[in-house]
Amino acid sequence: MQHKKALAEINAALLEQGYISDASIAMAIHLSRALKKPLLIEGPAGVGKTEIAKVMAKVMTTQLIRLQCYEGIDAPQALYEWNYQHQLLHLKMLENESASIEQKEQQLFSEKFLQKRPLLEALQTAQPSVLLIDEIDRADEEFESFLLEMLSDWQITIPEIGTIEATSIPQVILTSNRVRELSEALRRRCLYLYIDYPTFDKEVDIVTQKVPEINEFLAREISAFMQELRKMRLEKVPGVAETLDWATALAEMHFDHLDKSLVESTLGVVLKDWDDLRNTQDSLSELFEKVKVKLRVE
């Protein structure tokens, strides 16, 4: 009974922040917090993986620290770097002092000249933060291995200073769009959550929650259209983020239903690939028939 109450509280807290959750998401968040383990969230782009970390930071009333991964990112870029300009200026000021080389080095390589990057910042916050390691699959395996060591020991070693232990252990969220396969070692150290594209009913709920000014019928039409659109062979399948962009645009223009000319002229909000755009425009009649059937069934 206690865990049911905790899950209900998490769902309510997420909903309060505008996030439409479900049982699997609430359970993953609950277990990640209870076990103090990183949560790895995989799924297509634009389904709300990053949003979970943002909402969790609000729910926990704590700081969100984000590390955006990219190809070629290395440990220093994620951990720290030295403020070389200030070091050079300080060295200039030390020229006329009688301090030894060792003493000057100690001054130059002290924490006041250390510029914290996201990982070091997350370890040194006064209270536990939410550390979002976004799109970890874009980083290489070497960076992933380094990350494993930090997540296991919650400390880092800076050669000029020594070992810095965590002041607080952050709640870690890792996201992946499955650009590449992650290592088994990383997966074993994390709890796992997969978020797929939402069902029709859930997508309608998301649209009406995030775009409250939208016409209810239009929200259902947009959601049904997106459900059918994702069944096509597309290079870049649109996610919920694109659904919300489209819904917001149409609501601001005060439309209350879809028609072919409106869809054709606004498809660039949803699709970001020329071949996808052209193939969808060629298939609009068929798509509209499927949308009508879906709306009747639902």
Side-chain angles (χ1 to χ4, degrees):
M1 291 299 292
Q2 192 172 1
H3 79 275
K4 288 184 179 179
K5 182 182 177 182
L7 293 177
E9 288 174 351
I10 289 172
N11 272 320
L14 291 174
L15 187 59
E16 189 179 343
Q17 298 298 331
Y19 192 93
I20 307 296
S21 182
D22 58 36
S24 62
I25 292 174
M27 180 61 82
I29 292 173
H30 171 63
L31 292 176
S32 178
R33 293 180 64 183
L35 299 175
K36 293 182 172 57
K37 294 194 69 172
L39 175 61
L40 171 61
I41 309 175
E42 283 194 323
V47 294
K49 302 185 297 296
T50 299
E51 193 67 21
I52 286 181
K54 294 178 180 178
V55 170
M56 280 185 68
K58 291 179 181 177
V59 170
M60 296 167 61
T61 60
T62 191
Q63 182 182 2
L64 173 68
I65 298 173
R66 180 174 183 170
L67 173 64
Q68 180 63 52
C69 297
Y70 52 87
E71 187 177 351
I73 189 172
D74 58 19
Q77 290 164 327
L79 273 173
Y80 69 92
E81 67 177 356
W82 293 106
N83 190 328
Y84 294 116
Q85 288 182 328
H86 283 189
Q87 284 176 315
L88 287 172
L89 181 61
H90 190 71
L91 186 60
K92 192 78 173 173
M93 294 169 61
L94 292 175
E95 281 182 354
N96 297 324
E97 291 192 10
S98 59
S100 66
I101 294 176
E102 289 78 10
Q103 289 173 327
K104 289 180 180 180
E105 283 183 349
Q106 281 185 343
Q107 290 187 51
L108 283 175
F109 293 101
S110 59
E111 286 200 40
K112 71 177 181 179
F113 295 111
L114 199 63
Q115 292 182 317
K116 297 176 185 177
R117 294 303 184 204
L119 296 185
L120 179 56
E121 186 182 356
L123 292 181
Q124 292 195 307
T125 53
Q127 67 175 43
S129 59
V130 174
L131 172 61
L132 168 62
I133 302 174
D134 214 8
E135 297 185 322
I136 181 62
D137 52 322
R138 295 191 180 278
D140 57 29
E141 293 180 7
E142 184 179 350
F143 180 76
E144 193 180 317
S145 299
F146 149 75
L147 199 60
L148 284 175
E149 184 179 352
M150 195 210 82
L151 293 177
S152 297
D153 300 333
W154 299 113
Q155 64 180 30
I156 63 160
T157 300
I158 299 176
E160 299 86 351
I161 295 178
T163 300
I164 297 179
E165 296 183 353
T167 305
S168 61
I169 296 177
Q171 175 69 56
V172 182
I173 304 289
L174 302 99
T175 71
S176 166
N177 296 332
R178 297 180 66 86
V179 170
R180 69 170 177 86
E181 190 64 30
L182 300 176
S183 69
E184 288 300 315
L186 179 63
R187 292 182 181 278
R188 284 197 307 271
R189 284 167 173 77
C190 301
L191 301 183
Y192 182 76
L193 173 65
Y194 185 86
I195 301 180
D196 207 345
Y197 296 112
T199 62
F200 170 73
D201 288 335
K202 185 174 180 180
E203 193 150 19
V204 172
D205 287 343
I206 293 170
V207 171
T208 53
Q209 172 78 23
K210 293 289 189 179
V211 192
E213 67 275 16
I214 197 169
N215 174 277
E216 185 178 344
F217 181 72
L218 177 60
R220 291 176 61 81
E221 270 194 314
I222 288 173
S223 300
F225 188 91
M226 295 298 285
Q227 295 278 316
E228 296 303 324
L229 183 62
R230 293 185 190 116
K231 294 176 183 177
M232 295 179 60
R233 280 194 177 177
L234 301 173
E235 283 295 319
K236 297 182 179 178
V237 180
V240 180
E242 285 72 29
T243 303
L244 293 174
D245 286 344
W246 199 26
T248 302
L250 297 184
E252 286 184 354
M253 291 188 286
H254 305 291
F255 287 105
D256 58 7
H257 72 282
L258 295 179
D259 58 48
K260 288 182 184 177
S261 62
L262 175 61
V263 172
E264 194 165 7
S265 63
T266 58
L267 265 180
V269 179
V270 176
L271 298 173
K272 312 299 170 66
D273 179 87
W274 162 239
D275 288 330
D276 290 345
L277 197 65
R278 183 184 57 189
N279 293 336
T280 301
Q281 288 171 339
D282 292 342
S283 306
L284 276 183
S285 296
E286 183 182 348
L287 275 170
F288 264 90
E289 286 304 314
K290 290 180 178 179
V291 166
K292 288 178 182 176
V293 170
K294 187 167 190 65
L295 289 174
R296 282 200 298 269
V297 171
E298 298 292 342

